[in-house]
């Protein structure tokens, strides 16, 4: 008898991780898959493994005392409202505070941004903002432009709406304008370009001010709105990033922000800022999704933030993450002294100016996905870069998070990674 194929050989790659079901599922459900990263994390979370794979903020930065005080105050001052259903737009004082905060930040970066609090929608994490954007802007077959690489969670939010996801090339300064113009003119008009200008997840790259202006101009020329996702922008190390893209053309984009990286991700609190012309539709999608974000959590965030707490708290996160980044850079420089003179035969990496991630590239002939089990055997884990590409992946790339391991673990982990690479590097 001829050998039988493996049971899942005929299943399209997209469906590989979905178990068979007798249910008659919607076509879009077949496009939903467990996050590849979460699957990788399961393997890497074995005891004793030093993990550069996680994407979590450091728990050391969570302002527990400030939240404890805010909990008492909210329950004492306005318990019924805090525990009652509320408006879908979000808690008014928090919306006003977000608008003030963004206006001040943009002005400090040299760009006026006239935000009306009515344009702020409080979301259940910025991840929900991505989901609302997908529901309101994508039809089946719509073209959606993304960076290369890009945030996997955004692609997961867009995919059920059945778009054609098109990757736009990147260089160290940000999105390639030539590629954007070429893609913008090819095929049907794109619904939007999803872009992460600051300390990008996964690549750690920050878009320069010049590139932001060029990008805003090019997107306006070809009529493509920008969806700007900025959960890491406050986590700069030496100098604040240039102003948001949305501040350059407020009516041509939607801005997504998050409290996850500056306060705590478990509260699931984020926000979006949208032009008046599209806000009502996002609001209706939000109403259908969850009526509103938790009233209690919104008030907690407001109480914690209202006296300028972030101005005192966020610098301590920056200091911690910068020291962690420096430790990783130093460990990499020690382990790979020839990286800069011989980039094809040594690991190379960038120097993120903020955020949580560093982007590295293996020597020629190596593949980060294939190397991962060997690295785990040596006691260190990372996330291969390939899943972050919507188009052609660079198999040599990997994302290294520097924020959760201790400095001593960073040193041991990088040494283990270097040993793994040396063992498996083709001669
Ligand atoms: C680029 C990016 N956007 C959005 C999110 C979602 O963040 P939130 O916790 O606000 O939903 C993340 C989370 O890691 C992220 O990295």
């Amino acid at each position: 008898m001829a050998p039988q194929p493996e049971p899942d050989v005929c299943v399209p790659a997209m469906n590989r991780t979905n178990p068979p079901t007798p249910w008659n599922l919607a076509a879009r459900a077949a496009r939903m898959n467990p996050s590849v990263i979460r699957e990788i994390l399961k393997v890497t979370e074995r005891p004793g493994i030093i993990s550069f794979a996680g994407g979590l903020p450091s728990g050391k930065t969570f302002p527990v005392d400030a939240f404890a005080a805010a909990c008492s105050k909210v329950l004492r001052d306005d318990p019924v409202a805090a525990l009652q259903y509320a408006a879908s737009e979000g808690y008014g004082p928090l919306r006003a505070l977000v608008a003030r905060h963004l206006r001040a930040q943009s002005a400090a970066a040299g760009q006026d941004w006239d935000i009306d609090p009515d344009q702020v929608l409080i979301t259940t994490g910025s991840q929900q903002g991505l989901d609302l954007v997908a529901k309101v802007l994508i039809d089946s077959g719509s073209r959606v432009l993304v960076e290369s690489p890009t945030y996997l969670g955004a692609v997961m939010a867009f995919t059920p709406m059945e778009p054609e996801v098109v990757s736009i090339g990147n260089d160290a300064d940000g999105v390639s304008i030539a590629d954007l113009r070429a893609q913008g003119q090819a095929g049907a008009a794109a619904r939007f370009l999803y872009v992460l200008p600051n300390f990008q997840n996964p690549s750690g790259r920050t878009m320069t001010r010049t590139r932001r202006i060029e990008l805003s101009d090019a997107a306006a020329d070809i009529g493509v709105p920008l969806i700007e996702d900025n959960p890491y922008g406050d986590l700069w190390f030496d100098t604040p990033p240039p102003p948001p893209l949305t501040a350059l053309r407020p009516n041509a984009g939607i801005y997504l922000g998050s409290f996850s990286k500056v306060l705590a991700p478990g509260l699931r609190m984020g926000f979006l800022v949208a032009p008046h012309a599209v806000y009502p539709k996002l609001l209706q999608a939000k109403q259908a999704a969850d009526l509103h974000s938790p009233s209690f959590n919104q008030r907690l965030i407001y109480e914690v933030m209202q006296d300028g707490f972030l101005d005192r708290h966020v610098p301590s996160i920056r200091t911690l993450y910068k020291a962690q980044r420096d430790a990783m850079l130093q460990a990499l420089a020690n382990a790979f002294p020839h990286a800069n003179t011989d980039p094809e035969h040594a690991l190379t990496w960038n120097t993120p100016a903020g955020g949580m991630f560093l982007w590295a590239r293996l020597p020629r002939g190596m593949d980060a996905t294939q190397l991962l089990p060997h690295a785990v055997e040596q006691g260190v884990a990372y996330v291969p870069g390939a899943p972050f590409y919507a188009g052609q992946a660079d198999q040599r790339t990997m994302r290294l998070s520097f924020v959760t391991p201790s400095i001593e673990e960073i040193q041991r982990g990088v040494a283990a990674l270097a040993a793994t690479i040396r063992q498996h590097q083709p001669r």
Side-chain angles (χ1 to χ4, degrees), residues 55-57 123-130 150-154 194 196 198-202 229-232 256-261 264-266 268-271 356-357 399:
L56 310 183
T123 57
T124 304
S126 57
Q127 189 67 31
Q128 185 181 52
L130 293 166
T150 189
Y151 170 52
L152 187 62
Y194 170 66
L196 301 120
N198 297 324
F199 326 128
Q200 200 224 35
N201 179 7
D229 190 8
N230 187 26
Y232 302 99
L256 308 179
S258 176
F259 299 106
S260 292
K261 320 293 176 187
R268 308 304 307 122
M269 292 294 300
F271 55 89
M356 298 174 21
F357 307 111
R399 187 189 76 178

Side-chain angles (χ1 to χ4, degrees), residues 14-286:
M14 210 165 61
N15 288 344
R16 283 259 164 88
T17 43
N18 283 323
T21 170
W23 285 72
N24 194 9
L25 298 180
R28 84 180 62 80
R31 294 174 162 250
M32 298 174 189
N33 283 305
S35 154
V36 187
I37 309 287
R38 280 182 194 271
E39 295 298 295
I40 290 168
L41 289 183
K42 280 188 203 155
V43 183
T44 60
E45 276 165 3
R46 289 195 213 135
I49 304 278
I50 297 172
S51 184
F52 301 143
L56 310 183
S58 167
K60 289 182 202 161
T61 67
F62 301 161
V64 178
D65 293 342
F67 276 119
C71 280
S72 307
K73 184 163 189 304
V74 166
L75 288 176
R76 192 182 58 234
D77 291 357
D78 208 356
V80 173
L83 299 174
Q84 185 55 283
Y85 284 118
S88 301
E89 291 86 342
Y91 180 47
L94 182 60
R95 296 170 72 205
L97 198 148
V98 166
R100 268 203 312 279
H101 184 71
L102 291 178
R103 232 185 272 135
Q105 240 177 10
S106 192
Q111 179 67 44
D112 286 340
W113 185 10
D114 186 18
I115 306 174
D116 178 348
D118 285 352
Q119 293 175 264
V120 177
L121 178 63
I122 303 295
T123 57
T124 304
S126 57
Q127 189 67 31
Q128 185 181 52
L130 293 166
D131 184 62
L132 302 180
V133 161
K135 284 177 175 153
V136 168
L137 292 180
I138 305 176
D139 284 316
S140 178
S142 304
R143 295 175 83 233
V144 160
L145 311 181
V146 300
E147 293 174 277
S148 181
T150 189
Y151 170 52
L152 187 62
V155 178
M156 286 178 71
F158 303 155
T159 301
M161 298 297 124
E162 310 183 345
E164 180 198 348
V165 180
V166 178
S167 268
I168 305 294
N170 248 32
D171 59 30
D173 290 348
V175 170
S176 157
I177 303 302
D179 202 21
L180 173 64
R181 285 189 185 278
Q183 289 294 350
Q185 276 145 17
R191 291 295 167 92
F192 58 79
L193 166 63
Y194 170 66
V195 60
L196 301 120
N198 297 324
F199 326 128
Q200 200 224 35
N201 179 7
S203 72
R205 184 275 286 118
T206 298
M207 206 176 293
T208 59
R209 180 184 293 262
T210 307
R211 186 63 59 89
R212 287 174 204 231
I213 294 166
E214 290 167 354
L215 174 58
S216 176
D217 290 348
D221 280 354
I222 59 177
V224 175
L226 298 178
I227 307 299
E228 178 174 23
D229 190 8
N230 187 26
Y232 302 99
D234 286 313
L235 305 181
W236 48 268
F237 297 150
D238 296 314
T239 46
L245 283 158
T246 315
L248 299 174
R249 278 194 174 77
N251 285 324
I254 297 172
Y255 178 95
L256 308 179
S258 176
F259 299 106
S260 292
K261 320 293 176 187
V262 291
L263 288 173
L267 291 170
R268 308 304 307 122
M269 292 294 300
F271 55 89
L272 61 78
V273 181
H276 290 292
V278 69
Y279 187 97
K281 285 291 153 197
L282 292 162
L283 178 62
Q284 287 156 22
K286 163 88 184 158

Side-chain angles (χ1 to χ4, degrees), residues 337-343:
H338 305 299
N340 291 331
T341 50
D342 192 2

